Amino acid sequence: MTRSDRAGVEIVPHWRIISRPSADEGGGGRLVIDPGPGFGDGRHETTQLCLQALAALAPPGPWRMLDFGSGSGILSIGAARLGAVVDAVEIDALAGAHGEHNARSNAVSDRIRHARKLEETRGVFEFIVANILRSVLLEFADALVTRLARDATLVLSGLVSTDVPQVSVRYASLLRDERPEVYERGDWRALVWRRVVQ
């Protein structure tokens, strides 16, 4: 990650995250994320890992993404900018409202459906991202895996290195013993399963 002054955060190769719109910021990979109660302003390594996975692995054509634990909405907004229709699940009402505000600020609110519970989502998804606590990833493993479409991508983050074995084994047991790729940034890890066959 490179930092510029107060203008925002750059995450190579794709994203520029700012706190307010400005005429000189350009478009493309720009995400406008206002500070608020929802996690994810672009500065944390787990957010960066997920954004980079999105930029690298977004499927072609129309696709659906589930953002589980969506917080500020930063990952949902990034996916919507890449062509996804997103279900964003956030149990905290204040964080959810913050995510809805940020979706409007980025003019993608028509592509993001906000929900408070995973049970409110329907169908399967070509991409699932969950940047959340290890305990929650373990609790919801079955529910998340059942929502994967054929040839989907699954990205799990919010993990440190000691979390990786347990989470990897739990999900691999549900995914035909497929092992994940492990992305690293600082002390943080993301697990990525590509082209999961359900």
Side-chain angles (χ1 to χ4, degrees), residues 153-176:
T153 296
L154 173 64
V155 178
L156 308 177
S157 195
L159 306 170
V160 293
S161 60
T162 54
D163 297 328
V164 168
Q166 186 180 16
V167 176
S168 295
V169 167
R170 176 73 179 109
Y171 279 81
S173 72
L174 301 170
L175 297 170
R176 302 183 182 184

Side-chain angles (χ1 to χ4, degrees), residues 28-107:
R30 184 189 71 180
L31 308 180
V32 180
I33 306 297
D34 289 334
F39 176 80
D41 66 359
R43 296 184 188 276
H44 197 276
E45 286 89 345
T46 58
T47 307
Q48 295 165 20
L49 287 166
C50 292
L51 284 171
Q52 290 186 324
L54 267 173
L57 304 175
W63 54 291
R64 297 183 71 214
M65 187 180 91
L66 173 63
D67 181 2
F68 184 63
S70 55
S72 70
I74 187 170
L75 303 179
S76 297
I77 293 163
R81 286 286 179 84
L82 293 171
V85 174
V86 182
D87 278 13
V89 177
E90 175 54 61
I91 63 169
D92 183 275
L94 290 177
H98 179 219
E100 292 176 26
H101 165 78
N102 285 325
R104 289 191 296 273
S105 295
N106 286 272

